[in-house]
Structure formats: structure tokens, C-alpha cells
Amino acid sequence: MHADLSRITYRPERHYSAVVAQQGRVQLDADANEQAAIQLFQARTLAADLIGPHGGPYGATGFKIELRGGPHELDDLVIGGGRYYVDGIGCDATRPQPGTPVPAAGHKEGAEPADPDAADAPAEPAAATWTYWDQPDAFRDPERPGDRLPSQFPYLVYLKVWERLVTAAEDPALREVALGAALPDTAARTKVVWQVLPLPASALGLDGDNPPADDIRTAFGQWAQQAAAPACRLAARSERPDHADDDPCLVAPEARYRGPENQLYRVEVHDGGAAKDATFKWSRENGSVTFAIDELDGTWAELASLGGDDALSLQVGDLVECVDTGYASRGEAAPLLRVEEVDLPGRRVRLSDEPAPGVGRRPELHPFLRRWDHQEAGRKTVRRGDRPGRLRHGAVPVEEGGWLPLEDGVEVYFEAGGTYRTGDFWLVPARTATGGVEWPTDPARRPLLQHPLGVVVHYAPLAWVHGEQAVPDLRLAFRPLAAGIPAAGDAAPNAAGPADTAGADAPGTLSTTSAGGAGPARSRSQTTAEAEAQVDEAGEAG
């Protein structure tokens, strides 16, 4: 969540049910965001408790998978429309249909087109479903062998779900143009991202081409639990730097955090893997400082703006990441680039190298530069950094088991033995009022190791592909709870039997059997006359 936030206050372990506004108080972004987080947690927890780990509504269960051959011997998957819930998170595979444009000037609807060639060309029908290659948030590329479907059967097709933040840099429609270009954007959005991906059968350790569906689900559940579980931890603290006495008196002399402003530090894993291969990057603005790219020409990037002030602008020596919608959705890491030259009149910057292939060159994916605040050796100021370090692909190598200084007294500690995933992140609020950082501690005030705040990923099995035209369905379906209301005085109909996982022909009805199973329960619905007669009979019997 690379948003311009003050901090994140939502703590599920505290079990708050609502945020209550008080009169005459300052309202912060953290309050509104916590309320949204509480409501999402409640809604998704309830859905997961009722539905289970995954399932879709009967009659509208989405993500049905069909295998079909594609061009150039590339297989494809057809993804059926509908809805599906994974750990309570709703995913919709329905493909939006294009709208109908207004006819060209001088032509009525249904009239012959002026261009005779256009009349001969048949209209290409709009696709009704998504496919593996054009699914909206996966950005699969046939030229990349790793993106292709497995060439050998069997393999599992599964659903991967997570959330990511979208700002006006990625979706310009979020910006209110009436506010003018000089003002910043307003609120950001979170988006549920789903991807249909293949998994070789060897990763599940199953024998045979077509094992039982329950065995597949069990094996996949174990794989998914391991894939989603965080495997690294970090702690943060603030320590008074050795050179603090040399700084001007901008902060309290005893302050451990020496920065002149409140900050929300973001520490994010760049290259994943074991500690020897992993790197991280950090930002004092939660990675929210971005610059939309209007045009990319080699190492020169023409930007929509160079920032509103010195703190939010680009300077020579800054490290940036070239990002677009596809890059963000794939969750991969490309080398960070250094700003070598800034052309203020032309709103251009020259980078140390061209962005990675396939990133930043498609305007419809809204490319932008994201600034990170760590610096290369020899470029850090004495006050802003204490550890020169040597960067790897523009990011800082992970060093476990020791405190690593970021700047102004803020330090982080990576636990030994961790395995890191690209995108894992932690947030560290630093406050001038306390001269320290906000981080949980034990009674002895020792910083506690914390798992990453995200990215939280969820998985569900969809289909088992073990040959041509052989795609057993692994989805689950649930029936509506609602049933017809019986007429007054009539006994409710008997309940239908339990629906199987694939769904039955008719929705189930409410059971009228008593808890002991002795027979149909008496209807509680009565007319007024019946109720009065029952009271009279009771009085006579007494």
C-alpha cells in the first residue's frame, strides 16, 4: 500500500468493532482507514465462516476452466464468468462488454457505412469470457517461456488473490480535474487482483494422472498454506546517532529520532530469496512519491510533473523504480535506476539505464517512476545516512542478525534464517514529538520481531488438467440460505437434503424438524383469530 499515509492503526488482535468520531477532534486518515479495515475484516470473516476457504454461489459460480489449443501450439484456458470467494474475498470473472458508441456524424443507426471496405469486413464479436492469455491482471506474455502453460500433463489450475493499492498515477480517472494540476490527488483505492495460474503436479507430490479430487484439494491446501505463510521477521528502533551533537538544534537534544519531520518509513523487500540473495529498499514517505511518465525515450523519461516541492521532487542521485500496471501485478523486481540528470524546463530526467524490457513502454498501462530514499555509497549525507553500504541492482543487501541504520537514528533488524519474498513490507512511523519510532516492544522495551504487513496472498484450486478435454472441476458451490415463506397456519416444507459440492437442481429449504428429530415442528405463524382461540382454550383448561 504505497499511499501517502500518516500511519496504519488497524490491529485485528485488539478486536475493535468500530471507530467512533468525537466532536471537536482532529480527524486523521488513519481513523477513516481503520474503519474501512474493520468493516472489511468483519465482512470477509463472516463470508469465510459461512462459505469456507473457497466457494461460489450456485448458478453463478465463476472461474470454470476449459482447456483449448491456441495458435502456434500454445495451449489456452477459457475462464468462465461468475463469482467466487477465496477466504471471504469476492472475485468476479465476468468480462465487461464494450459499450455502444454514437454513430458517426451524417449516418443513422442501421444505415450503410460510407466506407465500402468497412461494409465488407465482418464485425468481430466481443469476447464473452476471459482466457489465460488476456486475463485482466495477470499480464501473461507468450514470448516468456515461464508464462506458458505446462507442456506435460497433469497440472493444477489455481486462483491467486491479493489486494494492491491504485492511485491517480495508475488510474487518472481518480483525479478530480476541477482541483487543478497544482494540487495533489485525493483518495486512493484498493483493488482485488485475481490471477489464474498453473501449478505442475510435481509440486503437489501426487501420484497418477487423475487422483481423487479430495486428495488434490488436500495437497493443494498444504502447498498454499506454505506459499502464503510469511517466512521472515523484522524489528525497528530509534537510536541516537553518534554524530547527533554535531547537528543543528532542530530537534530535542535527547531525541533518538533526529529527523525534522514526522515520517512513515517503508522497508520493502526488492529481490526475494534467502538472505544472501535478498535486497530491500526504503522510503521515508511510504513509497508514495511518484512521477507519471508521459514518454519514454531510451534513458530519458518525460514526466507529467517533477514534484511539488524539494521534499517530493527528483534530484540527481535519487534511485527510482519504473512501474506500470503490469509490473505491479506480476510482483517481480527490476533493477532500480539512478537519476543522472534533471531537465527542469523539459520536465525530463535521464536515468542510469533503460527500464527493464516490457516495463514503462505501454501508455495504456500508465507508467510512472517511484522514488526510493536510500542512496548509493558516497552519495549519502552525513545527517541522512550512517552506513554507506554497497547496493545490488540499486537495492540494499539484506544483512541478518544486526541493526542496520536507515537515517536519522532509525534502524532495522532482520531475523536470522529468513526467506524473503518480493513485495514483503513493514511500516515504521517516526515522530518528532516523542523523538522515536512507534514499534511494539516487550516489558523491557526491547523491540519485537514482526512478520511483514503484506502482501497477503490467498489461493484456491480450480481444475485438474490431465489430458486433452480432461479438466475435472475442483471448485465448490454453495446454495442460498433464503427459502419461501410458508402460508399462515401451514407447516413449512421438509428440508432438502444436503447439497453436494457441485450444487443441485433446486435451492434447499429451511428444515422444520425439531432438534430431537421427532417430527415436523409446529408453525409459529398464526392469525389473530387462531391466537385468541388458543388463549381461550388454555383458560378453560385451567
Side-chain angles (χ1 to χ4, degrees), residues 168-170 172 175 290-295 301-306 347 366-370:
E170 247 183 295
R175 183 182 294 275
T290 59
F291 308 87
I293 298 176
D294 287 342
E295 184 178 354
E302 182 179 334
L303 308 178
S305 170
L306 286 173
R347 300 195 319 275
H366 305 293
F368 59 91
L369 298 180
R370 187 187 306 281

mmCIF file with all atom_site columns, all heavy atoms in Angstrom, residues 168-170 172 175 290-295 301-306 347 366-370:
data_model
loop_
_atom_site.group_PDB
_atom_site.id
_atom_site.type_symbol
_atom_site.label_atom_id
_atom_site.label_alt_id
_atom_site.label_comp_id
_atom_site.label_asym_id
_atom_site.label_entity_id
_atom_site.label_seq_id
_atom_site.pdbx_PDB_ins_code
_atom_site.Cartn_x
_atom_site.Cartn_y
_atom_site.Cartn_z
_atom_site.occupancy
_atom_site.B_iso_or_equiv
_atom_site.pdbx_formal_charge
_atom_site.auth_seq_id
_atom_site.auth_comp_id
_atom_site.auth_asym_id
_atom_site.auth_atom_id
_atom_site.pdbx_PDB_model_num
ATOM 1   N N   . ALA A 1 168 ? -3.892 7.792  -8.407  1.00 0.00 ? 168 ALA A N   1
ATOM 2   C CA  . ALA A 1 168 ? -4.159 8.521  -9.645  1.00 0.00 ? 168 ALA A CA  1
ATOM 3   C C   . ALA A 1 168 ? -3.015 8.386  -10.643 1.00 0.00 ? 168 ALA A C   1
ATOM 4   O O   . ALA A 1 168 ? -3.218 8.617  -11.838 1.00 0.00 ? 168 ALA A O   1
ATOM 5   C CB  . ALA A 1 168 ? -4.422 9.997  -9.345  1.00 0.00 ? 168 ALA A CB  1
ATOM 6   N N   . ALA A 1 169 ? -1.819 8.011  -10.175 1.00 0.00 ? 169 ALA A N   1
ATOM 7   C CA  . ALA A 1 169 ? -0.722 7.784  -11.116 1.00 0.00 ? 169 ALA A CA  1
ATOM 8   C C   . ALA A 1 169 ? -1.019 6.613  -12.024 1.00 0.00 ? 169 ALA A C   1
ATOM 9   O O   . ALA A 1 169 ? -0.591 6.583  -13.185 1.00 0.00 ? 169 ALA A O   1
ATOM 10  C CB  . ALA A 1 169 ? 0.578  7.533  -10.343 1.00 0.00 ? 169 ALA A CB  1
ATOM 11  N N   . GLU A 1 170 ? -1.773 5.617  -11.513 1.00 0.00 ? 170 GLU A N   1
ATOM 12  C CA  . GLU A 1 170 ? -2.124 4.447  -12.314 1.00 0.00 ? 170 GLU A CA  1
ATOM 13  C C   . GLU A 1 170 ? -3.503 4.569  -12.942 1.00 0.00 ? 170 GLU A C   1
ATOM 14  O O   . GLU A 1 170 ? -3.747 4.004  -14.010 1.00 0.00 ? 170 GLU A O   1
ATOM 15  C CB  . GLU A 1 170 ? -2.089 3.204  -11.419 1.00 0.00 ? 170 GLU A CB  1
ATOM 16  C CG  . GLU A 1 170 ? -0.989 2.236  -11.758 1.00 0.00 ? 170 GLU A CG  1
ATOM 17  C CD  . GLU A 1 170 ? -1.058 1.012  -10.890 1.00 0.00 ? 170 GLU A CD  1
ATOM 18  O OE1 . GLU A 1 170 ? -0.859 1.143  -9.688  1.00 0.00 ? 170 GLU A OE1 1
ATOM 19  O OE2 . GLU A 1 170 ? -1.321 -0.070 -11.433 1.00 0.00 ? 170 GLU A OE2 1
ATOM 20  N N   . PRO A 1 172 ? -5.792 7.638  -13.891 1.00 0.00 ? 172 PRO A N   1
ATOM 21  C CA  . PRO A 1 172 ? -6.010 9.093  -13.902 1.00 0.00 ? 172 PRO A CA  1
ATOM 22  C C   . PRO A 1 172 ? -7.455 9.497  -13.635 1.00 0.00 ? 172 PRO A C   1
ATOM 23  O O   . PRO A 1 172 ? -7.712 10.637 -13.247 1.00 0.00 ? 172 PRO A O   1
ATOM 24  C CB  . PRO A 1 172 ? -5.575 9.499  -15.314 1.00 0.00 ? 172 PRO A CB  1
ATOM 25  C CG  . PRO A 1 172 ? -4.631 8.412  -15.754 1.00 0.00 ? 172 PRO A CG  1
ATOM 26  C CD  . PRO A 1 172 ? -5.158 7.162  -15.130 1.00 0.00 ? 172 PRO A CD  1
ATOM 27  N N   . ARG A 1 175 ? -8.404 11.233 -10.294 1.00 0.00 ? 175 ARG A N   1
ATOM 28  C CA  . ARG A 1 175 ? -8.060 12.619 -10.008 1.00 0.00 ? 175 ARG A CA  1
ATOM 29  C C   . ARG A 1 175 ? -9.223 13.538 -10.363 1.00 0.00 ? 175 ARG A C   1
ATOM 30  O O   . ARG A 1 175 ? -9.813 13.427 -11.443 1.00 0.00 ? 175 ARG A O   1
ATOM 31  C CB  . ARG A 1 175 ? -6.812 13.032 -10.800 1.00 0.00 ? 175 ARG A CB  1
ATOM 32  C CG  . ARG A 1 175 ? -6.345 14.457 -10.511 1.00 0.00 ? 175 ARG A CG  1
ATOM 33  C CD  . ARG A 1 175 ? -5.138 14.806 -11.366 1.00 0.00 ? 175 ARG A CD  1
ATOM 34  N NE  . ARG A 1 175 ? -3.990 13.989 -10.998 1.00 0.00 ? 175 ARG A NE  1
ATOM 35  C CZ  . ARG A 1 175 ? -3.163 14.280 -10.008 1.00 0.00 ? 175 ARG A CZ  1
ATOM 36  N NH1 . ARG A 1 175 ? -3.374 15.364 -9.265  1.00 0.00 ? 175 ARG A NH1 1
ATOM 37  N NH2 . ARG A 1 175 ? -2.137 13.496 -9.746  1.00 0.00 ? 175 ARG A NH2 1
ATOM 38  N N   . THR A 1 290 ? 5.638  9.561  -6.460  1.00 0.00 ? 290 THR A N   1
ATOM 39  C CA  . THR A 1 290 ? 5.631  9.009  -7.815  1.00 0.00 ? 290 THR A CA  1
ATOM 40  C C   . THR A 1 290 ? 5.564  10.132 -8.832  1.00 0.00 ? 290 THR A C   1
ATOM 41  O O   . THR A 1 290 ? 5.107  11.246 -8.533  1.00 0.00 ? 290 THR A O   1
ATOM 42  C CB  . THR A 1 290 ? 4.437  8.056  -8.017  1.00 0.00 ? 290 THR A CB  1
ATOM 43  O OG1 . THR A 1 290 ? 3.217  8.769  -7.785  1.00 0.00 ? 290 THR A OG1 1
ATOM 44  C CG2 . THR A 1 290 ? 4.521  6.875  -7.066  1.00 0.00 ? 290 THR A CG2 1
ATOM 45  N N   . PHE A 1 291 ? 5.981  9.799  -10.068 1.00 0.00 ? 291 PHE A N   1
ATOM 46  C CA  . PHE A 1 291 ? 6.017  10.764 -11.158 1.00 0.00 ? 291 PHE A CA  1
ATOM 47  C C   . PHE A 1 291 ? 5.533  10.063 -12.423 1.00 0.00 ? 291 PHE A C   1
ATOM 48  O O   . PHE A 1 291 ? 6.197  9.143  -12.928 1.00 0.00 ? 291 PHE A O   1
ATOM 49  C CB  . PHE A 1 291 ? 7.443  11.307 -11.359 1.00 0.00 ? 291 PHE A CB  1
ATOM 50  C CG  . PHE A 1 291 ? 8.067  11.844 -10.102 1.00 0.00 ? 291 PHE A CG  1
ATOM 51  C CD1 . PHE A 1 291 ? 8.760  11.008 -9.223  1.00 0.00 ? 291 PHE A CD1 1
ATOM 52  C CD2 . PHE A 1 291 ? 7.939  13.186 -9.773  1.00 0.00 ? 291 PHE A CD2 1
ATOM 53  C CE1 . PHE A 1 291 ? 9.320  11.496 -8.066  1.00 0.00 ? 291 PHE A CE1 1
ATOM 54  C CE2 . PHE A 1 291 ? 8.505  13.686 -8.603  1.00 0.00 ? 291 PHE A CE2 1
ATOM 55  C CZ  . PHE A 1 291 ? 9.187  12.840 -7.749  1.00 0.00 ? 291 PHE A CZ  1
ATOM 56  N N   . ALA A 1 292 ? 4.374  10.476 -12.912 1.00 0.00 ? 292 ALA A N   1
ATOM 57  C CA  . ALA A 1 292 ? 3.804  9.850  -14.108 1.00 0.00 ? 292 ALA A CA  1
ATOM 58  C C   . ALA A 1 292 ? 4.689  10.102 -15.317 1.00 0.00 ? 292 ALA A C   1
ATOM 59  O O   . ALA A 1 292 ? 5.195  11.209 -15.511 1.00 0.00 ? 292 ALA A O   1
ATOM 60  C CB  . ALA A 1 292 ? 2.398  10.380 -14.361 1.00 0.00 ? 292 ALA A CB  1
ATOM 61  N N   . ILE A 1 293 ? 4.883  9.069  -16.128 1.00 0.00 ? 293 ILE A N   1
ATOM 62  C CA  . ILE A 1 293 ? 5.712  9.152  -17.332 1.00 0.00 ? 293 ILE A CA  1
ATOM 63  C C   . ILE A 1 293 ? 4.818  9.456  -18.535 1.00 0.00 ? 293 ILE A C   1
ATOM 64  O O   . ILE A 1 293 ? 3.900  8.691  -18.843 1.00 0.00 ? 293 ILE A O   1
ATOM 65  C CB  . ILE A 1 293 ? 6.483  7.838  -17.563 1.00 0.00 ? 293 ILE A CB  1
ATOM 66  C CG1 . ILE A 1 293 ? 7.437  7.569  -16.398 1.00 0.00 ? 293 ILE A CG1 1
ATOM 67  C CG2 . ILE A 1 293 ? 7.247  7.876  -18.878 1.00 0.00 ? 293 ILE A CG2 1
ATOM 68  C CD1 . ILE A 1 293 ? 8.171  6.243  -16.503 1.00 0.00 ? 293 ILE A CD1 1
ATOM 69  N N   . ASP A 1 294 ? 5.113  10.570 -19.208 1.00 0.00 ? 294 ASP A N   1
ATOM 70  C CA  . ASP A 1 294 ? 4.389  10.891 -20.437 1.00 0.00 ? 294 ASP A CA  1
ATOM 71  C C   . ASP A 1 294 ? 5.014  10.214 -21.645 1.00 0.00 ? 294 ASP A C   1
ATOM 72  O O   . ASP A 1 294 ? 4.307  9.807  -22.575 1.00 0.00 ? 294 ASP A O   1
ATOM 73  C CB  . ASP A 1 294 ? 4.372  12.414 -20.659 1.00 0.00 ? 294 ASP A CB  1
ATOM 74  C CG  . ASP A 1 294 ? 3.426  13.119 -19.700 1.00 0.00 ? 294 ASP A CG  1
ATOM 75  O OD1 . ASP A 1 294 ? 2.555  12.436 -19.123 1.00 0.00 ? 294 ASP A OD1 1
ATOM 76  O OD2 . ASP A 1 294 ? 3.555  14.345 -19.513 1.00 0.00 ? 294 ASP A OD2 1
ATOM 77  N N   . GLU A 1 295 ? 6.332  10.108 -21.649 1.00 0.00 ? 295 GLU A N   1
ATOM 78  C CA  . GLU A 1 295 ? 7.016  9.489  -22.782 1.00 0.00 ? 295 GLU A CA  1
ATOM 79  C C   . GLU A 1 295 ? 8.360  8.953  -22.318 1.00 0.00 ? 295 GLU A C   1
ATOM 80  O O   . GLU A 1 295 ? 9.044  9.569  -21.489 1.00 0.00 ? 295 GLU A O   1
ATOM 81  C CB  . GLU A 1 295 ? 7.227  10.510 -23.907 1.00 0.00 ? 295 GLU A CB  1
ATOM 82  C CG  . GLU A 1 295 ? 7.839  9.919  -25.172 1.00 0.00 ? 295 GLU A CG  1
ATOM 83  C CD  . GLU A 1 295 ? 8.000  10.939 -26.283 1.00 0.00 ? 295 GLU A CD  1
ATOM 84  O OE1 . GLU A 1 295 ? 7.519  12.084 -26.097 1.00 0.00 ? 295 GLU A OE1 1
ATOM 85  O OE2 . GLU A 1 295 ? 8.599  10.612 -27.319 1.00 0.00 ? 295 GLU A OE2 1
ATOM 86  N N   . ALA A 1 301 ? 13.265 10.070 -19.613 1.00 0.00 ? 301 ALA A N   1
ATOM 87  C CA  . ALA A 1 301 ? 11.851 9.934  -19.266 1.00 0.00 ? 301 ALA A CA  1
ATOM 88  C C   . ALA A 1 301 ? 11.242 11.321 -19.135 1.00 0.00 ? 301 ALA A C   1
ATOM 89  O O   . ALA A 1 301 ? 11.700 12.123 -18.314 1.00 0.00 ? 301 ALA A O   1
ATOM 90  C CB  . ALA A 1 301 ? 11.677 9.161  -17.967 1.00 0.00 ? 301 ALA A CB  1
ATOM 91  N N   . GLU A 1 302 ? 10.235 11.590 -19.973 1.00 0.00 ? 302 GLU A N   1
ATOM 92  C CA  . GLU A 1 302 ? 9.497  12.853 -19.859 1.00 0.00 ? 302 GLU A CA  1
ATOM 93  C C   . GLU A 1 302 ? 8.354  12.647 -18.879 1.00 0.00 ? 302 GLU A C   1
ATOM 94  O O   . GLU A 1 302 ? 7.529  11.738 -19.042 1.00 0.00 ? 302 GLU A O   1
ATOM 95  C CB  . GLU A 1 302 ? 8.961  13.284 -21.219 1.00 0.00 ? 302 GLU A CB  1
ATOM 96  C CG  . GLU A 1 302 ? 8.222  14.611 -21.178 1.00 0.00 ? 302 GLU A CG  1
ATOM 97  C CD  . GLU A 1 302 ? 7.705  15.035 -22.544 1.00 0.00 ? 302 GLU A CD  1
ATOM 98  O OE1 . GLU A 1 302 ? 8.300  14.609 -23.561 1.00 0.00 ? 302 GLU A OE1 1
ATOM 99  O OE2 . GLU A 1 302 ? 6.710  15.778 -22.595 1.00 0.00 ? 302 GLU A OE2 1
ATOM 100 N N   . LEU A 1 303 ? 8.286  13.498 -17.860 1.00 0.00 ? 303 LEU A N   1
ATOM 101 C CA  . LEU A 1 303 ? 7.349  13.315 -16.762 1.00 0.00 ? 303 LEU A CA  1
ATOM 102 C C   . LEU A 1 303 ? 6.240  14.348 -16.814 1.00 0.00 ? 303 LEU A C   1
ATOM 103 O O   . LEU A 1 303 ? 6.412  15.448 -17.343 1.00 0.00 ? 303 LEU A O   1
ATOM 104 C CB  . LEU A 1 303 ? 8.087  13.422 -15.420 1.00 0.00 ? 303 LEU A CB  1
ATOM 105 C CG  . LEU A 1 303 ? 9.322  12.524 -15.262 1.00 0.00 ? 303 LEU A CG  1
ATOM 106 C CD1 . LEU A 1 303 ? 9.982  12.768 -13.916 1.00 0.00 ? 303 LEU A CD1 1
ATOM 107 C CD2 . LEU A 1 303 ? 8.947  11.057 -15.411 1.00 0.00 ? 303 LEU A CD2 1
ATOM 108 N N   . ALA A 1 304 ? 5.095  13.982 -16.258 1.00 0.00 ? 304 ALA A N   1
ATOM 109 C CA  . ALA A 1 304 ? 3.983  14.931 -16.170 1.00 0.00 ? 304 ALA A CA  1
ATOM 110 C C   . ALA A 1 304 ? 4.297  16.048 -15.196 1.00 0.00 ? 304 ALA A C   1
ATOM 111 O O   . ALA A 1 304 ? 3.830  17.169 -15.349 1.00 0.00 ? 304 ALA A O   1
ATOM 112 C CB  . ALA A 1 304 ? 2.706  14.204 -15.754 1.00 0.00 ? 304 ALA A CB  1
ATOM 113 N N   . SER A 1 305 ? 5.108  15.770 -14.179 1.00 0.00 ? 305 SER A N   1
ATOM 114 C CA  . SER A 1 305 ? 5.496  16.766 -13.190 1.00 0.00 ? 305 SER A CA  1
ATOM 115 C C   . SER A 1 305 ? 6.783  16.306 -12.533 1.00 0.00 ? 305 SER A C   1
ATOM 116 O O   . SER A 1 305 ? 7.069  15.101 -12.457 1.00 0.00 ? 305 SER A O   1
ATOM 117 C CB  . SER A 1 305 ? 4.396  16.950 -12.141 1.00 0.00 ? 305 SER A CB  1
ATOM 118 O OG  . SER A 1 305 ? 4.853  17.746 -11.056 1.00 0.00 ? 305 SER A OG  1
ATOM 119 N N   . LEU A 1 306 ? 7.555  17.270 -12.038 1.00 0.00 ? 306 LEU A N   1
ATOM 120 C CA  . LEU A 1 306 ? 8.776  16.953 -11.311 1.00 0.00 ? 306 LEU A CA  1
ATOM 121 C C   . LEU A 1 306 ? 8.608  17.090 -9.805  1.00 0.00 ? 306 LEU A C   1
ATOM 122 O O   . LEU A 1 306 ? 9.589  17.103 -9.067  1.00 0.00 ? 306 LEU A O   1
ATOM 123 C CB  . LEU A 1 306 ? 9.924  17.854 -11.784 1.00 0.00 ? 306 LEU A CB  1
ATOM 124 C CG  . LEU A 1 306 ? 10.500 17.512 -13.162 1.00 0.00 ? 306 LEU A CG  1
ATOM 125 C CD1 . LEU A 1 306 ? 11.505 18.556 -13.599 1.00 0.00 ? 306 LEU A CD1 1
ATOM 126 C CD2 . LEU A 1 306 ? 11.135 16.137 -13.150 1.00 0.00 ? 306 LEU A CD2 1
ATOM 127 N N   . ARG A 1 347 ? 10.864 19.038 -18.138 1.00 0.00 ? 347 ARG A N   1
ATOM 128 C CA  . ARG A 1 347 ? 10.265 18.041 -17.241 1.00 0.00 ? 347 ARG A CA  1
ATOM 129 C C   . ARG A 1 347 ? 10.777 16.637 -17.577 1.00 0.00 ? 347 ARG A C   1
ATOM 130 O O   . ARG A 1 347 ? 10.019 15.678 -17.650 1.00 0.00 ? 347 ARG A O   1
ATOM 131 C CB  . ARG A 1 347 ? 8.734  18.064 -17.322 1.00 0.00 ? 347 ARG A CB  1
ATOM 132 C CG  . ARG A 1 347 ? 8.087  19.368 -16.942 1.00 0.00 ? 347 ARG A CG  1
ATOM 133 C CD  . ARG A 1 347 ? 6.600  19.198 -16.685 1.00 0.00 ? 347 ARG A CD  1
ATOM 134 N NE  . ARG A 1 347 ? 5.954  18.315 -17.641 1.00 0.00 ? 347 ARG A NE  1
ATOM 135 C CZ  . ARG A 1 347 ? 5.487  18.678 -18.826 1.00 0.00 ? 347 ARG A CZ  1
ATOM 136 N NH1 . ARG A 1 347 ? 5.584  19.944 -19.203 1.00 0.00 ? 347 ARG A NH1 1
ATOM 137 N NH2 . ARG A 1 347 ? 4.909  17.807 -19.633 1.00 0.00 ? 347 ARG A NH2 1
ATOM 138 N N   . HIS A 1 366 ? -0.164 3.050  -17.911 1.00 0.00 ? 366 HIS A N   1
ATOM 139 C CA  . HIS A 1 366 ? 0.094  4.199  -17.041 1.00 0.00 ? 366 HIS A CA  1
ATOM 140 C C   . HIS A 1 366 ? 1.426  4.061  -16.292 1.00 0.00 ? 366 HIS A C   1
ATOM 141 O O   . HIS A 1 366 ? 1.464  3.912  -15.063 1.00 0.00 ? 366 HIS A O   1
ATOM 142 C CB  . HIS A 1 366 ? -1.051 4.378  -16.041 1.00 0.00 ? 366 HIS A CB  1
ATOM 143 C CG  . HIS A 1 366 ? -2.390 4.495  -16.689 1.00 0.00 ? 366 HIS A CG  1
ATOM 144 N ND1 . HIS A 1 366 ? -2.733 5.569  -17.476 1.00 0.00 ? 366 HIS A ND1 1
ATOM 145 C CD2 . HIS A 1 366 ? -3.462 3.656  -16.700 1.00 0.00 ? 366 HIS A CD2 1
ATOM 146 C CE1 . HIS A 1 366 ? -3.973 5.397  -17.925 1.00 0.00 ? 366 HIS A CE1 1
ATOM 147 N NE2 . HIS A 1 366 ? -4.431 4.254  -17.472 1.00 0.00 ? 366 HIS A NE2 1
ATOM 148 N N   . PRO A 1 367 ? 2.548  4.125  -16.995 1.00 0.00 ? 367 PRO A N   1
ATOM 149 C CA  . PRO A 1 367 ? 3.846  4.001  -16.323 1.00 0.00 ? 367 PRO A CA  1
ATOM 150 C C   . PRO A 1 367 ? 4.180  5.223  -15.477 1.00 0.00 ? 367 PRO A C   1
ATOM 151 O O   . PRO A 1 367 ? 3.737  6.342  -15.748 1.00 0.00 ? 367 PRO A O   1
ATOM 152 C CB  . PRO A 1 367 ? 4.822  3.854  -17.495 1.00 0.00 ? 367 PRO A CB  1
ATOM 153 C CG  . PRO A 1 367 ? 4.143  4.539  -18.632 1.00 0.00 ? 367 PRO A CG  1
ATOM 154 C CD  . PRO A 1 367 ? 2.667  4.302  -18.448 1.00 0.00 ? 367 PRO A CD  1
ATOM 155 N N   . PHE A 1 368 ? 4.977  5.001  -14.445 1.00 0.00 ? 368 PHE A N   1
ATOM 156 C CA  . PHE A 1 368 ? 5.426  6.097  -13.589 1.00 0.00 ? 368 PHE A CA  1
ATOM 157 C C   . PHE A 1 368 ? 6.726  5.682  -12.908 1.00 0.00 ? 368 PHE A C   1
ATOM 158 O O   . PHE A 1 368 ? 7.095  4.492  -12.870 1.00 0.00 ? 368 PHE A O   1
ATOM 159 C CB  . PHE A 1 368 ? 4.368  6.489  -12.551 1.00 0.00 ? 368 PHE A CB  1
ATOM 160 C CG  . PHE A 1 368 ? 3.959  5.381  -11.619 1.00 0.00 ? 368 PHE A CG  1
ATOM 161 C CD1 . PHE A 1 368 ? 4.607  5.183  -10.404 1.00 0.00 ? 368 PHE A CD1 1
ATOM 162 C CD2 . PHE A 1 368 ? 2.911  4.528  -11.944 1.00 0.00 ? 368 PHE A CD2 1
ATOM 163 C CE1 . PHE A 1 368 ? 4.239  4.171  -9.550  1.00 0.00 ? 368 PHE A CE1 1
ATOM 164 C CE2 . PHE A 1 368 ? 2.529  3.501  -11.093 1.00 0.00 ? 368 PHE A CE2 1
ATOM 165 C CZ  . PHE A 1 368 ? 3.190  3.327  -9.886  1.00 0.00 ? 368 PHE A CZ  1
ATOM 166 N N   . LEU A 1 369 ? 7.433  6.667  -12.364 1.00 0.00 ? 369 LEU A N   1
ATOM 167 C CA  . LEU A 1 369 ? 8.627  6.429  -11.570 1.00 0.00 ? 369 LEU A CA  1
ATOM 168 C C   . LEU A 1 369 ? 8.258  6.537  -10.094 1.00 0.00 ? 369 LEU A C   1
ATOM 169 O O   . LEU A 1 369 ? 7.552  7.457  -9.687  1.00 0.00 ? 369 LEU A O   1
ATOM 170 C CB  . LEU A 1 369 ? 9.723  7.450  -11.896 1.00 0.00 ? 369 LEU A CB  1
ATOM 171 C CG  . LEU A 1 369 ? 10.269 7.457  -13.324 1.00 0.00 ? 369 LEU A CG  1
ATOM 172 C CD1 . LEU A 1 369 ? 11.345 8.536  -13.470 1.00 0.00 ? 369 LEU A CD1 1
ATOM 173 C CD2 . LEU A 1 369 ? 10.834 6.100  -13.716 1.00 0.00 ? 369 LEU A CD2 1
ATOM 174 N N   . ARG A 1 370 ? 8.750  5.582  -9.299  1.00 0.00 ? 370 ARG A N   1
ATOM 175 C CA  . ARG A 1 370 ? 8.565  5.630  -7.853  1.00 0.00 ? 370 ARG A CA  1
ATOM 176 C C   . ARG A 1 370 ? 9.920  5.903  -7.210  1.00 0.00 ? 370 ARG A C   1
ATOM 177 O O   . ARG A 1 370 ? 10.888 5.172  -7.462  1.00 0.00 ? 370 ARG A O   1
ATOM 178 C CB  . ARG A 1 370 ? 7.984  4.326  -7.314  1.00 0.00 ? 370 ARG A CB  1
ATOM 179 C CG  . ARG A 1 370 ? 7.620  4.425  -5.832  1.00 0.00 ? 370 ARG A CG  1
ATOM 180 C CD  . ARG A 1 370 ? 7.207  3.085  -5.246  1.00 0.00 ? 370 ARG A CD  1
ATOM 181 N NE  . ARG A 1 370 ? 6.153  2.443  -5.985  1.00 0.00 ? 370 ARG A NE  1
ATOM 182 C CZ  . ARG A 1 370 ? 4.860  2.745  -5.900  1.00 0.00 ? 370 ARG A CZ  1
ATOM 183 N NH1 . ARG A 1 370 ? 4.473  3.734  -5.114  1.00 0.00 ? 370 ARG A NH1 1
ATOM 184 N NH2 . ARG A 1 370 ? 3.974  2.078  -6.614  1.00 0.00 ? 370 ARG A NH2 1
#
